[in-house]
Amino acid sequence: MIKRVTSEHPHFKDLVKLLDSYLSKIDGDEHSFYSQYNSLDHLKNCIVLYKNGLPVGCGAIKRFDEDSFEIKRMFTHPTARGYGVASQIVGELEKWALEEKATRLVLETGRRMPDAIALYSRLGYTKMDNYEPYQGVENSICFEKRLILPNFNL
């Protein structure tokens, strides 16, 4: 089950705490730089994915520009990895972005996260120049995907 929530939802908050703990280990000294751009303030478009009634994954989209959203706060609980949770979350975020009339999604991930890089590549995201505030940040890699709005005038 996938539930659309805001950043105030307790299961979303719990998963983000696990995400931040995980990222602090991966990012090391760079964690404080990244965390300043990952505030939960004003995230209205958030998702929690449940398996057997337990929250096992989350993600969000945040308005990036007039035509685009940025994927934020993607996380799959370690016990649920390898079961397609992240792909389901990204699919739902893409659907939600389309409902909001977006034509593109962008995201930033770390070069030290090969599983995330592989996921986004497999889902049709392509590397792009790093956008602000990640320009010149060696560990950052940015991706984008063009979304196709459905044509209901068949």
Side-chain angles (χ1 to χ4, degrees), residues 65-82:
D65 61 28
E66 185 178 312
D67 302 314
S68 308
F69 278 87
E70 181 182 21
I71 294 179
K72 305 291 287 180
R73 314 314 284 156
M74 281 290 300
F75 181 70
T76 301
H77 194 279
T79 61
R81 292 185 183 152

Side-chain angles (χ1 to χ4, degrees), residues 42-54:
H42 312 296
L43 283 180
K44 301 180 295 185
N45 304 82
C46 305
I47 287 174
V48 176
L49 188 140
Y50 296 84
K51 292 284 186 186
N52 299 320
L54 298 174

